[in-house]
Amino acid sequence: MIYGPDSTAQVTIQAAEHLLRFGTPVPFSVSSPLVPALVALAANLTGLGADWAYLAVVAAGYAVGALCLYWIVRRFQPNSGIALWGALTYSAAPSRLSCLYGQPDAPRLLFWTLVLVCALAADSLRRGFSRRGLVLLICGLVLLIGTMPGSVTDLDALALLELAVLVGMTCWKGVWQDHLVKLSMVKPICTALFVMPSLWSFAIYPSLAYHAPAMPEAAVTWVRMNSDEPRVQGPVSAQALVRPNREVIDRMIESPGRTRESLLWLRAYAAEYLISMDWEKFHPVFECVCQEGEWCVYRIPHPNPAQAVLVSRERRQALKPIRGPMDVEGLEAYLSWAGRPEVVGVAWHDSTSAEIRADLGPADAILVREHALPGWRAVVQEPSGKWTPLEIQQDPAGFILLDPKTTGPTVIQLEYDPGWLDRVTPASLTKGPFVAGDFPIISTDGIADAFDYTPAPFKRGAVLTIFGRNFVADHTSVFVGGAETTPSYVDSNQINFQLPLSMTPGTMDIVVESDGRRSYPYSVEVIG
Amino acid sequence: MAGVFRLAAAMLLAVTAAISQPGLPQRIGFYQWVGVLPADASSDLLTEARHRSVAAGARVFRLYVGARFDYIHPPYSLRRFSRDGMREPLTPARIVQIPRYREVLADPNIETVILTVYPIRDYGGGPDDVNLQRPWSDRERELEFAQTSELCRRLYEDFGALDKTVIIANSEADEKMLDIMNYTGSPELAVENIRRWTQTRFEAIREAREAHPSARLRILHAFEISLVNLRIAKQNRGFGKALLPESAQKRRGWNALNDVVPHVSFDLLSYSAYESTNSPFETRHPDADPAETGVRLVRDLNLIRSKARDSLSPAGRRAFGDRFVMVGEVGYARDRFEHLPTGGILPRLRSALQAAVDWGCPYIVLWQLFDHPRDGDAAWGFGMHDRRGHVPRLKHSTDECDSIQSCLSGLLSGGGRGWGTVE
C-alpha cells in the first residue's frame, strides 16, 4: 500500500475504482457520490481507465456549464453576442480554471454546473409550467445534492461571485452592453480565453490530474517497480477512502509537525511507502529510498505490511478504541497488537472475493487489512468440509478481524456482497468519538509513592506521584476507582495526589483527565 | 576427593583454554542484518558486508539464515529469494547453498561463521520462521530437528574439509520470550517453548557432529540471551522488561538466563550485551562514565558464567573451558551516544572490547557493518558505514583512530594502534 499526497482528483478516481470494484460508493465525507459514479459509468461504457474517464467527465461538465450560461443569457438577451461573451468568459473564470488546474476538483466543477442547470430549469418553470421543466429541476436538485462538496471553500465563494457578476452584467440590459458588442475585439478575445485553456487542459490534463499536486511520475514508478504488487494500490489507496476519520489523519500526515503521530498512523494503516516533499518532517525518521527533485519516496518501517497477519486473540480483548488523531498511547497499543510479522496467505479470486489460508495456533486470530465494510461476508471450512458463517469483526483501525477459534490448517472464504441499500448509498464509517488534542499518558510503572518512589501496593491515604506526559496544570483531575480527587501538584510530566482514606482496599483503576481528555486506566493495588 | 579432582580438571581446562586463546582477528567480527546498502556498493548487502568485514581485518562474521530476509529485498518482501531459483520448500540448508551465503562460508579469510538460524515453515502466507507462540508439539520438534540436522549435514558435506568453525545460534531468547508472553499472556508457555526448542536444536547439532567425527569443520551450538539483571515482568499494559527489587516478591519475573539456561545444553553461550554496555541497568540511562562500561560487562559475564556453567556441553567445555560466554552483539547508536556529555562511542566501545577480550570471550561480534534503515525514533546509526558508504568520524578520536573502522582495523592488524591514546 502506498501512501502519498492526495488531491480531489485522485480521491475521485480512487472512489470510482472503489465503485467499480465493490459496487458501492465511498462515504459522503470522502467524496460526493455523483462524480465517481459518472466516472465509473464512463469507464464502464467506454472501456477507458478511471483516470481518462475522469477527464471525460470533467470536460463534459466544463462544456455543459458554458452551454447552460449561454442558454440562460439568451433567454434574457436575444442578442447572441452577449450570450456568447458571457459563456466564454465564464469558461475562463478563475474558479472554473482553478477546478481544472490549480486544485483539480471535478465534484466542485460539476456542482456549479448543476447550479446553472437548476437555474435554467427554474427559469423555464417561471415562464410557464411544463412537465419537462419540472423534471429537469428535480433532477438538477437531486444531482446537485449528489455533487455537493463536503465543505464550503473560498473557491465556492469565488464561483458564486463570478456567477453573480456575469449574470448581472449579461441579463440586465444596460447601455454599456451596446458599446461592448460593438467592440470588434471582444469576441476573438473571449474565444481565445475559452479555447486556449481548453486546449491546454486536453493537452496536459492527464498527467496533471492523476499525480497532482505534481507528484513525480518517476517516484510513483519507482514504488510500483520496487514494491510487492498486491500491497500497492495507487497514490491514494482505495482502502484509505473508506477508513474512519481519513481526512483529519491525512491532513495531519501532510502538514508539518506531529511526526510521531503521523508515523504511527502510517504504520497502523500498514502503508509501505510514503511519497512526500516534507524533508524536515520525514527525513529524520524514515529512509528516503528514491529521490526525485524535491520529492522523496520514504520506506515506512513496519514489522510486516502484508495484507493479512496473525494477531493475538487474547490481546484483542484488552485493546481500546483509538480515541483521536493524536492518541499516541492508543496507536502504540494497537500497533503492538497488529504489527505482527506472521503473515497469512490471501489469494484473491477477483476483486471482491478471496481465500484465506492459515495454519492457526490456539491464540491466533487473523487481521485482514481490508476495511470492514458492512457487505463483507466470511465462511470457514469445518473439518467435515462444511462451510459455516464466520463473524466479521472490526479492529480499532477499521480493518477486518476474523476469529474462527480453530487450530491447525484453516480455510476461510471472504466475499464482499453488499445489500441493495449498500449499493445505492455511500458506505458508512465507524464514527466513534474522535477527539483532537494530546491525551494524557501515564508512564509504564508510572505510579509510585511520592516519598520513596516505591511501587504498588499502596496504603489508603498514601500520597502518590504519577509520572507521564501531556498533563495540563490547572485543568487536571485524577479519578480513583471512578471518584474524582484533586491533585496537590501538577506539571506537564508529574502529578501528586492523595488516595482517599475512605476507599475500599482492592485493585483500583486510576485515570487522569487533562483538558477534558482522559488517559487509559492504570490499575494499582490498594491495601488497608 | 572427587570434588578436588573436578576443581583441578576445571582449572586445567581454563588454563589450557586461556593459553590457546586465538588472536584478536579470530575473535572479533561483525554482524549484518537489515541495512542500507551504500550507494557505492557493487553487490548485494551480504557480499558487501563480508568484503568490508574482511577488509577491516575481522575473521569472524555473523549473518541471519532464515525465511524473513534474503539480503536483497526488504524484510518480508513477497519477492524474497525469488531471484535465487529456490526449490520448495525453503530450508536453512537450501539457503546456505545460495551463492552469496555459500561465499561467506567458503571465504578463506573468515574462520568463524555465526549463523542466526530459524527453521522455516509455511503457515499459509509463504515461508516464515518457526512460530513459537503455540504449544510445543512433535510437529515443532520434528521441524527443528530435521532442518537443523539437514543444515549440519549440508555444512559437513560442503565445507567439512575446511578448518573453520560454524556456530548455529538464535537471536536474543529474551526478546522471543517477551514476544510470546505478550502474544499468549503465558510466561510458562514462553519458557517451556524456548527450553524445548533450544534443547532440540542442541541435540540435532550434537548428533550431526557425532556422525562426522573426522570432519575438520567444527559446528557448535550457541544459545543467545540478552537479559542478565533485568527480568520480564507483567506490567500494567502487558509484559515488559523491568528491574525487580528483591522486595517485590509478589511480582514474578522471568528471563532466559534464570529460567531457560539451567534446563538446556549448549556448546557456547552468546550474550547480546546491550544491557551491560549501553546503559547501567539500575538507571537505564546511557549517559554514564564510559570507563564503567567494561566494569559492568565483566560483572555480567561473571554472573552469566556462574549461572550457566552447569549447562555447558562437554564439547563446549573442551573448546572454551571456563570462557564459554561470547559477546553475540555489541554496538552503539550514533544518534544516542555520540553526543553524550560523558563521551561518545569510541571510549565506550574500547572499554567494552577491552573488557571482553581480557575476560576471555571467545568471540565478540559488533553490530553492525551498515546502518539499518531509519525507523522512527528508534536508536539509529550503529553502522561502521553510513548510507552513503562513508565511514562516520567519531568524537574522542586520534589521527589513527577516528572511526569504528580505523580503530578496529588498527586493533585487528596489530595491537590496538591508536586505541591506547583515546581521550
Side-chain angles (χ1 to χ4, degrees), chain A residues 225 227-228 231 260 263 267 285 287 299 301 303 311-312 314-315 329 340-341 345 359 361 364 442 523, chain B residues 74 76-79 121 123-125 133-134 139 179 182-184 235-237 373-377 387:
Chain A
M225 295 288 291
S227 186
D228 296 320
R231 302 188 209 174
R260 181 163 180 71
L263 183 153
R267 282 184 176 157
V285 294
E287 204 65 43
R299 183 170 172 83
V311 287
S312 163
E314 177 174 308
R315 289 193 66 195
E329 197 177 10
R340 297 294 312 175
D359 189 341
D364 295 334
I442 302 173
S523 297
Chain B
Y76 305 105
S77 165
L78 297 178
R79 305 177 194 190
R121 186 180 160 78
Y123 293 93
Q133 284 131 8
R134 44 194 71 184
R139 192 176 73 166
D179 188 45
N182 272 321
Y183 195 90
T184 63
Q235 296 174 331
N236 211 270
R237 289 161 202 140
R374 285 189 182 273
D375 183 4
D377 53 5
R387 65 176 85 179

Side-chain angles (χ1 to χ4, degrees), chain B residues 344-423:
Chain B
I345 290 174
L346 287 181
R348 287 180 165 79
L349 187 60
R350 188 188 69 154
S351 178
L353 284 178
Q354 189 72 55
V357 167
D358 291 347
W359 191 86
C361 290
Y363 304 107
I364 302 151
V365 182
L366 272 73
W367 178 276
Q368 62 178 354
L369 277 150
F370 300 114
D371 285 339
H372 62 254
R374 285 189 182 273
D375 183 4
D377 53 5
W380 177 85
F382 286 88
M384 187 166 84
H385 297 271
D386 65 17
R387 65 176 85 179
R388 293 165 300 170
H390 298 170
V391 175
R393 272 185 63 107
L394 301 173
K395 287 197 307 184
H396 303 274
S397 58
T398 64
D399 288 344
E400 294 171 317
C401 169
D402 63 356
S403 65
I404 292 177
Q405 187 188 44
S406 57
C407 296
L408 249 291
S409 296
L411 185 71
L412 298 177
S413 64
R417 193 176 65 230
W419 278 73
T421 52
V422 171
E423 287 168 20

Side-chain angles (χ1 to χ4, degrees), chain A residues 30 41 83 96 109 157 180 203 205-206 254 269 278 345 361 372 416 494:
Chain A
V30 173
L41 184 69
R96 302 293 278 180
L109 187 86
L180 193 68
Y205 193 77
E254 289 162 16
Y269 289 120
D278 192 343
Y416 187 65
Q494 184 178 346

Side-chain angles (χ1 to χ4, degrees), chain B residues 150-305:
Chain B
E150 184 198 12
L151 173 65
C152 293
R153 270 199 309 277
R154 173 56 50 200
L155 292 171
Y156 278 123
E157 282 171 19
D158 292 356
F159 308 102
L162 301 180
D163 185 15
K164 281 178 183 276
T165 301
V166 174
I167 296 169
I168 295 176
N170 59 307
S171 175
E172 298 186 350
D174 293 285
E175 292 297 324
K176 184 61 89 176
M177 286 169 61
L178 176 62
D179 188 45
I180 300 169
M181 287 183 204
N182 272 321
Y183 195 90
T184 63
S186 169
E188 294 75 21
L189 181 78
V191 169
E192 187 63 19
N193 277 5
I194 298 294
R195 281 182 192 170
R196 289 186 174 218
W197 176 52
T198 305
Q199 194 58 27
T200 304
R201 169 171 288 195
F202 170 76
E203 284 164 11
I205 294 170
R206 187 188 59 193
E207 283 188 20
R209 200 163 50 215
E210 286 171 1
H212 297 83
S214 56
R216 291 184 76 199
L217 180 74
R218 188 167 63 155
I219 300 181
L220 299 171
H221 167 233
F223 177 58
E224 183 165 277
I225 63 168
S226 59
L227 298 185
V228 181
N229 305 287
L230 298 174
R231 301 279 196 281
I232 303 168
K234 182 97 172 90
Q235 296 174 331
N236 211 270
R237 289 161 202 140
F239 290 88
K241 296 173 197 170
L243 178 66
L244 296 184
E246 291 297 323
S247 59
Q249 298 295 329
K250 284 183 128 180
R251 293 180 67 185
R252 180 81 214 288
W254 298 264
N255 68 17
L257 180 61
N258 290 291
D259 298 285
V260 177
V261 163
H263 303 276
V264 297
S265 302
F266 42 77
D267 304 320
L268 185 63
L269 193 79
S270 175
Y271 173 43
S272 181
Y274 301 106
E275 186 192 306
S276 308
T277 59
N278 289 37
S279 56
F281 70 83
E282 299 91 337
T283 60
R284 299 177 77 175
H285 193 278
D287 197 13
D289 180 5
E292 291 297 310
T293 307
V295 177
R296 293 197 303 269
L297 180 58
V298 168
R299 175 200 64 198
D300 292 341
L301 288 170
N302 286 332
L303 184 62
I304 293 168
R305 178 168 58 187

Side-chain angles (χ1 to χ4, degrees), chain A residues 36 74 88 94 127 130 159 168 180-181 202 219 268 285 298 315 329-330 343 361 379 431 457 462-463 492 521 527:
Chain A
R74 271 298 293 271
L88 293 177
R127 287 166 188 269
S130 74
L180 193 68
V181 290
F202 291 121
V285 294
Y298 294 101
R315 289 193 66 195
E329 197 177 10
V343 65
V379 285
K431 290 272 188 189
V463 177
S492 59
I527 53 179

